[in-house]
Amino acid sequence: DDGLRMLSLPDEDPATLEVPARIAALCGLGEAQRDQGSAEFRATLLEAGWLAQASSDVPLLVRAALANSRGLPSLIGAVDADRVAITEAALESVGPQPTAERARLLAHLAAELCFAGDDRRRVALSDEAEGIARGLGDRGLLAWVLNRTGYAAFAPDRVERLVARGEEATRLSDAAGDPAQRVLSRYHWSGALLTAGALPSFRAVTETMLAVSSDAAPTIQRFAQFLQARV
């Protein structure tokens, strides 16, 4: 962590920077910590988010909220109340208009609420985020939203739809070229295939997931390796 902090802030202590510069530096540090597997990224990005909210800096508030995730629900079987709070604050700040920022924040919130016990809410948030992304016609945004809501969109009567959703997300993620999104799309697609009992396709997608992870951050590479155990 010290090495990452020195890399992000080589000349100045973050406490001495002007507020916008300090928030941006904290966001960059938190993103680097996240990608390198340091658990400190959560606290770093929460600090950035609260500072951004206090200074009414909406773009940096949105950045800090969205960056505070590895692309999956933060906790299994529980809810990270601080992450939910900062995401809800960012949603309030961007307003109700159907923008890309709102779509991403809705998807992010849906993912964080997967284990809140309110299935209707997380499915509704997921559907709203997807609807905005489709309405905007931004394929990269749609891929991101589909991947972020891979868990949140699940319902027992949606398995066939989730298989098609996973295939679409993978196709769009491949076109966009983001290594992390290419892995995450295959994770959710393979999970839907496994749920549907399509085992040959499940194995093929899982194998490809490992292959495409080679260009991703270390945490994503380890994630893809770990998931081979599902086979």
Side-chain angles (χ1 to χ4, degrees):
D1 292 350
D2 289 343
L4 287 173
R5 189 171 292 276
M6 291 174 64
L7 178 64
S8 299
L9 304 169
D11 299 319
E12 298 184 72
D13 186 297
T16 67
L17 296 173
E18 293 296 326
V19 173
R22 181 183 179 194
I23 299 169
L26 285 168
C27 285
L29 173 60
E31 290 159 356
Q33 289 171 326
R34 177 199 63 204
D35 291 345
Q36 295 301 315
S38 169
E40 294 299 317
F41 83 93
R42 175 188 180 276
T44 301
L45 289 167
L46 283 174
E47 180 182 357
W50 298 132
L51 284 171
Q53 184 188 29
S55 60
S56 300
D57 193 320
V58 176
L60 284 175
L61 172 57
V62 171
R63 177 182 173 183
L66 293 176
N68 208 341
S69 169
R70 293 190 176 99
L72 299 166
S74 298
L75 299 175
I76 301 300
V79 174
D80 189 320
D82 290 333
R83 281 181 166 121
V84 168
I86 200 69
T87 305
E88 290 178 332
L91 263 173
E92 183 177 353
S93 295
V94 300
Q97 295 302 313
T99 61
E101 292 77 12
R102 181 169 178 81
R104 291 180 188 273
L105 288 165
L106 287 167
H108 184 65
L109 180 60
E112 291 298 332
L113 292 175
C114 277
F115 300 99
D118 189 345
D119 294 332
R120 289 185 179 181
R121 185 185 182 197
R122 50 105 175 155
V123 170
L125 289 167
S126 175
D127 287 349
E128 184 181 353
E130 182 179 341
I132 292 174
R134 291 190 185 280
L136 291 174
D138 184 331
R139 294 187 175 188
L141 171 65
L142 178 58
W144 191 97
V145 166
L146 293 176
N147 292 334
R148 185 57 61 91
T149 57
Y151 274 126
F154 179 84
D157 61 351
R158 291 184 169 202
V159 173
E160 291 186 4
R161 175 181 169 184
L162 293 174
V163 171
R165 198 176 190 267
E167 187 279 331
E168 180 184 19
T170 298
R171 175 167 41 82
L172 294 173
S173 296
D174 285 350
D178 184 305
Q181 296 303 312
R182 296 184 71 199
V183 170
L184 291 170
S185 67
R186 286 171 170 83
Y187 169 59
H188 293 300
W189 186 18
S190 65
L193 289 165
L194 181 59
T195 304
L199 298 183
S201 296
F202 157 71
R203 291 189 179 97
V205 173
T206 302
E207 182 178 346
T208 307
M209 176 173 54
L210 182 61
V212 302
S213 72
S214 60
D215 293 329
T219 51
I220 296 295
Q221 292 181 25
R222 291 193 289 271
F223 179 65
Q225 292 164 1
F226 167 78
L227 288 172
Q228 302 304 306
R230 292 197 305 181
V231 176

